[in-house]
Amino acid sequence: MKIDLKTYGLTDQIDQLAATQPELTLARVTGKLRHDLSVETDFPAVGDWVLTTLAPDHQLALIQTVLPRQSVLERAAVGKTGAGQIIAANVDTIFICMSLNANFNPHRIERYLTMAWDSGAVPVVVLTKADLCADVPAKLAALADVTLGVDVLTCSAQTGDGLAALKDYVTGNQTVSFIGSSGVGKSTLINGLLGHAALVTKEIRADDDKGRHTTTSRELLRLPAGGVVIDTPGMRELQVQGGDLTKAFADVTALAVHCKFRNCTHHTEPGCAVQAAIVAGTLAAERLTSYRKLQVELSYSDMNAREREDAKIQRFFGSKKKMKQARSHMQQIRRR
């Protein structure tokens, strides 16, 4: 039986790329590369399109080429300095899920949006468990500055509200991915899109509203109306590997254009439009704090351990010599 790969998200662009190597076969990722690659992120990831040949025994497909990715959702690998970890590839829409219970945290959305805009896909914020929230409008207002230019949906798995709006984003050969913390209801929403309980779900802990890990690996599932959905494990720690602050913080970058100095750091420079907006009450000071924090984190993302340590010394002391002088000064104070 011939499989219609368009129902798995195949686009004309990917099809044309595959046609340049007709001696190879187009397939979804089914195994690991059998040869060494210099960078871990070069290995096939969920969502990748690959070209394969059959082994002589016709029992194994050998992946020869990973086709160029149209989008890459990536984060810094936990515990691996400078290393990246691909969450999903070739995604059209990223659903950033956050529940409206104690899990609600606008700063977390800022981090997810920074990563999502950098991927090349379109982010959509999905607020889950609306039935557990006493004041949804207040939560939406708290996210207003954070989600500039981004669609925001509210959903409830218990009542079914919002699921129809979610389905509007999944049409034809689109590929969508769900990301978010454990226990926010990603698997439940995906089951709703699939029309049956394909993914296991668990209740959150009643004592702290934190979720238990249900999805432990990345899964790609075909949707009844065409296209595919990628489920990902919950993220307890989100370290950005790369990010687009111009979109995630469009309000700050729009103000920065009007600063007197082109290289304004928005600290104490005269004529700073960003600081003026904070004084006028049109920009929250917390928003600038988040912007600076992510700016620093992104500047460290491509450094190794030694480079990162040197950068931190430069940032806090100005040089290693000044750091040693500061330490010596503190030791003299302690001896007194």
Side-chain angles (χ1 to χ4, degrees):
M1 181 181 68
K2 186 175 180 180
I3 297 174
D4 182 6
L5 291 178
K6 288 188 176 181
T7 65
Y8 287 86
L10 178 66
T11 64
D12 292 339
Q13 189 173 9
I14 294 293
D15 201 19
Q16 290 167 7
L17 287 169
T20 63
Q21 301 183 65
E23 73 280 7
L24 301 181
T25 302
L26 186 62
R28 272 303 200 184
V29 175
T30 56
K32 296 180 180 178
L33 288 175
R34 298 299 175 182
H35 56 83
D36 293 332
L37 291 173
S38 58
V39 181
E40 186 176 342
T41 52
D42 288 342
F43 280 85
V46 62
D48 268 326
W49 290 95
V50 298
L51 299 175
T52 69
T53 55
L54 287 177
D57 60 4
H58 285 204
Q59 298 299 310
L60 179 67
L62 302 175
I63 296 175
Q64 303 291 345
T65 303
V66 178
L67 292 176
R69 293 159 175 158
Q70 308 306 303
S71 65
V72 182
L73 182 60
E74 183 180 9
R75 71 167 178 174
V78 178
K80 294 183 179 181
T81 303
Q85 180 184 41
I86 294 180
I87 300 170
N90 298 311
V91 176
D92 297 294
T93 302
I94 299 170
F95 293 122
I96 301 171
C97 299
M98 183 173 69
S99 61
L100 287 164
N101 58 2
N103 175 260
F104 185 81
N105 185 338
H107 293 309
R108 187 180 297 121
I109 292 294
E110 288 175 331
R111 299 180 71 81
Y112 275 117
L113 284 173
T114 299
M115 180 177 69
W117 279 124
D118 189 61
S119 73
V122 176
V124 174
V125 173
V126 181
L127 302 175
T128 64
K129 306 187 181 182
D131 56 294
L132 300 179
C133 181
D135 194 348
V136 173
K139 295 292 179 68
L140 291 174
L143 284 176
D145 291 338
V146 175
T147 56
L148 287 170
V150 179
D151 289 348
V152 180
L153 307 178
T154 57
C155 297
S156 169
Q158 294 298 319
T159 65
D161 291 343
L163 188 59
L166 201 64
K167 289 180 178 179
D168 289 340
Y169 291 87
V170 188
T171 58
N173 59 354
Q174 294 284 296
T175 298
V176 300
S177 178
F178 285 75
I179 62 174
S181 304
S182 301
V184 298
K186 300 187 300 293
S187 297
T188 302
L189 291 177
I190 292 173
N191 285 340
L193 292 177
L194 292 169
H196 63 280
L199 301 178
V200 177
T201 61
K202 290 182 180 179
E203 294 296 323
I204 61 172
R205 297 197 299 258
D207 56 344
D208 58 6
D209 276 342
K210 291 185 178 180
R212 303 179 178 93
H213 284 290
T214 302
T215 301
T216 56
S217 61
R218 295 166 184 84
E219 296 184 71
L220 187 148
L221 304 162
R222 189 165 69 93
L223 296 168
V228 293
V229 58
I230 296 174
D231 186 25
T232 63
M235 299 181 196
R236 303 223 172 181
E237 182 179 354
L238 178 60
Q239 299 174 336
V240 292
Q241 177 70 9
D244 188 348
L245 295 182
T246 63
K247 289 186 177 180
F249 290 84
D251 50 351
V252 177
T253 53
L255 287 167
V257 173
H258 302 287
C259 289
K260 181 178 179 179
F261 299 105
R262 199 171 170 186
N263 61 344
C264 184
T265 62
H266 319 308
H267 283 278
T268 59
E269 295 92 337
C272 175
V274 175
Q275 287 292 347
I278 292 174
V279 172
T282 56
L283 179 72
E286 294 81 4
R287 185 81 169 140
L288 179 59
T289 300
S290 294
Y291 175 83
R292 285 174 177 158
K293 184 177 180 180
L294 281 168
Q295 197 175 44
V296 171
E297 189 171 333
L298 288 172
S299 70
Y300 291 158
S301 62
D302 292 328
M303 298 179 182
N304 58 35
R306 182 181 294 275
E307 291 171 337
R308 188 172 299 179
E309 186 63 26
D310 289 343
K312 288 180 178 178
I313 290 172
Q314 183 68 30
R315 179 183 169 212
F316 291 112
F317 298 99
S319 67
K320 287 186 176 180
K321 181 179 179 180
K322 290 183 178 179
M323 180 189 71
K324 291 177 181 178
Q325 290 174 344
R327 285 180 175 174
S328 176
H329 179 65
M330 290 301 298
Q331 288 172 352
Q332 289 175 4
I333 292 175
R334 287 170 185 163
R335 291 193 193 104
R336 292 174 186 171

